[in-house]
Amino acid sequence: HIYKENFKDEDGDDLHEEFLSARQSNSKKARMRQLLRQREEKAQEAFDAWRVQKALKEKAVEALEFVDKPGRAGQPPKVAEQHWRYVGEQLKAVDPTLLGAWVSWSEGFRT
């Protein structure tokens, strides 16, 4: 611990600058500040990654509206099945939680 009372000259005057310097260089507090900064940086990185992933999910759902549904008129069953699986795989690659969007999109094909 660093106490202000320990920073006095021979006359009993405060050595304020030395006290502040010692307080700043206190290794334990410095380490705690460093850990706190690292934690804040990691939190910001995680938040940024979450925002990017959220935007990708939203774009995928929006784009799904423009993708032909499987089993449209004249499409062979095998081709429809391949298309249906492909779209599902691509949505899963963006985010596995898009299963509900895929099920809604393919409604009537397999249900």
Side-chain angles (χ1 to χ4, degrees):
H1 299 294
I2 298 177
Y3 299 103
K4 191 170 185 175
E5 298 82 21
N6 295 336
F7 291 87
K8 299 200 183 274
D9 63 7
E10 300 90 7
D11 299 330
D13 296 326
D14 287 338
L15 299 171
H16 188 69
E17 294 299 322
E18 288 80 357
F19 168 70
L20 292 178
S21 175
R23 211 167 109 191
Q24 287 292 328
S25 65
N26 184 339
S27 63
K28 188 173 184 181
K29 286 187 180 184
R31 177 71 177 140
M32 292 300 288
R33 283 191 298 271
Q34 179 187 20
L35 291 173
L36 182 59
R37 269 193 308 274
Q38 288 174 350
R39 181 177 172 202
E40 290 170 351
E41 289 170 3
K42 287 184 187 251
Q44 185 63 48
E45 289 172 9
F47 178 72
D48 292 342
W50 172 82
R51 268 194 330 199
V52 167
Q53 184 63 22
K54 182 180 177 195
L56 285 173
K57 284 173 59 175
E58 290 170 355
K59 285 182 181 181
V61 170
E62 290 172 11
L64 197 56
E65 295 176 23
F66 301 100
V67 176
D68 291 334
K69 291 193 174 209
R72 64 180 189 272
Q75 191 178 41
K78 187 173 182 174
V79 172
E81 175 83 16
Q82 288 172 341
H83 175 65
W84 176 72
R85 284 183 185 271
Y86 178 77
V87 171
E89 290 168 358
Q90 297 309 305
L91 286 173
K92 184 179 178 183
V94 171
D95 193 297
T97 63
L98 290 175
L99 174 65
W102 180 58
V103 169
S104 296
W105 170 79
S106 60
E107 189 174 340
F109 176 64
R110 281 280 183 123
T111 56

